[in-house]
Amino acid sequence: MQAARTSATAPTGTIACLKQYGARRTGTNYVRALLLANYPDVLPLMHVLGDKHSPPVDFERFLQMSLAVSDPDWEFVRATTLAAPAESTRENDERQIAYLRKTAKQVAASVRTGRLGFAVSAKNPYAWAASLARYSGWTVWSPTGRRMKQSYRGNLAAGCREYNRNYSAWLALLARFPSRSVLLRHEDLVEDTPGVLEKLERLFGLSRAHPELRLFAENAEATDWDDSEPALRKTRFNSAFYRKRGYMKQLSAGLREVVEESIDWPIAAALGYRKDPK
């Protein structure tokens, strides 16, 4: 973990809400924890306005549809969130409904006034595949360490196709709103978390809660929904695993082949990644 940096200036806020997107296991929960710990004036949106792991919803369509009801803010936020529900989104959940009602005015206003920012998290396809395999229970321990079982080749290939579809849509979003969107690469967070946060401050006009950034050495747990507080594991994040490309040892030759054949590498190149040379 890098040392926290102090803020030289206090920018005026321009982004009221920040909609998160990214494939599973790309660091979206860690980013959310950092935002909530450091920037009280911006509201991170995880599954509000649609699943963070899915392509963006057509906000303009739902804005227009919401004008026909008595409470357009509530209707816009409710309908947009349910248009692309996350696995944890529950239409009749009282807790989630209460959170949507509490934030509807702020969220809807941020969309209408162009004060909704977008943050897309990404990870090297090889590292992402190894992380997905561990998280999904597709790996076993071997004499050389954790390895992914060959029987899950099809699951990984399907995951790669979803990776391609989603990042194609998210890259289009970044291109459409370049002044209020950002690509957050996992590798950049590992190497220089303060530098990434300072970039967000400049781009979105974020104001810090305290002069010194609050950073975390622990892994961020998966979070159920937007009304849940971030949770950190007791174990420290192993940055050396990524710096030294330890994830490559967790992909057998056959499973590495799946990644190389199934990932759309022009899309990966737009994210700053390339296929490893043979």
Side-chain angles (χ1 to χ4, degrees):
M1 182 184 76
Q2 304 83 15
R5 297 175 187 162
T6 57
S7 176
T9 60
T12 57
T14 57
I15 294 297
C17 298
L18 187 59
K19 182 70 182 97
Q20 289 189 267
Y21 294 107
R24 288 174 173 82
R25 318 313 298 164
T26 57
T28 56
N29 291 300
Y30 183 65
V31 169
R32 179 173 180 261
L34 289 170
L35 290 170
L36 290 173
N38 290 289
Y39 307 109
D41 294 333
V42 67
L43 178 65
L45 305 178
M46 187 169 57
H47 298 314
V48 172
L49 297 188
D51 177 23
K52 67 177 178 178
H53 300 311
S54 298
V57 175
D58 184 349
F59 297 148
E60 292 299 324
R61 172 171 169 261
F62 285 97
L63 279 176
Q64 292 301 314
M65 291 172 58
S66 69
L67 295 177
V69 303
S70 59
D71 189 346
D73 291 348
W74 159 249
E75 177 58 23
F76 167 72
V77 173
R78 183 199 67 81
T80 308
T81 300
L82 295 178
E87 291 179 358
S88 57
T89 298
R90 298 172 289 275
E91 182 174 1
N92 298 315
D93 186 288
E94 293 183 1
R95 189 167 46 85
Q96 293 183 7
I97 292 172
Y99 184 83
L100 289 176
R101 288 199 177 278
K102 182 177 72 172
T103 59
K105 184 176 181 180
Q106 178 182 352
V107 173
S110 74
V111 177
R112 292 194 180 96
T113 61
R115 297 183 65 213
L116 175 68
F118 302 99
V120 177
S121 295
K123 182 186 280 187
N124 181 296
Y126 296 101
W128 163 79
S131 296
L132 181 66
R134 291 195 305 272
Y135 179 75
S136 303
W138 301 344
T139 60
V140 294
W141 285 100
S142 72
T144 57
R146 189 187 293 269
R147 306 281 281 179
M148 183 168 159
K149 296 172 66 175
Q150 291 289 336
S151 58
Y152 289 105
R153 284 177 62 104
N155 301 70
L156 180 57
C160 290
R161 291 191 293 271
E162 181 178 1
Y163 183 104
N164 298 336
R165 289 192 300 270
N166 287 344
Y167 279 104
S168 177
W170 294 330
L171 283 167
L173 182 73
L174 294 174
R176 183 181 177 189
F177 300 105
S179 66
R180 52 188 174 103
S181 61
V182 64
L183 175 65
L184 299 178
R185 300 191 338 143
H186 183 265
E187 298 75 21
D188 298 330
L189 277 168
V190 169
E191 289 299 324
D192 186 10
T193 305
V196 171
L197 293 178
E198 289 168 358
K199 178 181 179 180
L200 295 182
E201 292 172 1
R202 293 190 299 271
L203 178 62
F204 297 137
L206 303 183
S207 297
R208 296 184 186 180
H210 305 285
E212 186 171 306
L213 287 169
R214 183 184 177 193
L215 306 178
F216 305 107
E218 301 86 0
N219 288 282
E221 294 275 15
T223 307
D224 180 63
W225 213 71
D226 293 67
D227 62 333
S228 304
E229 292 294 324
L232 300 174
R233 298 179 188 174
K234 295 180 179 180
T235 56
R236 294 176 65 89
F237 176 73
N238 182 10
S239 59
F241 175 80
Y242 290 98
R243 290 193 179 100
K244 297 179 180 180
R245 291 165 52 87
Y247 50 82
M248 296 300 290
K249 296 179 181 179
Q250 296 183 1
L251 295 174
S252 64
L255 295 170
R256 174 173 168 167
E257 181 182 30
V258 171
V259 174
E260 294 177 343
E261 291 182 353
S262 301
I263 288 291
D264 187 322
W265 289 99
I267 290 176
L271 300 170
Y273 306 119
R274 63 182 178 85
K275 184 187 298 187
D276 275 19
K278 295 293 186 182

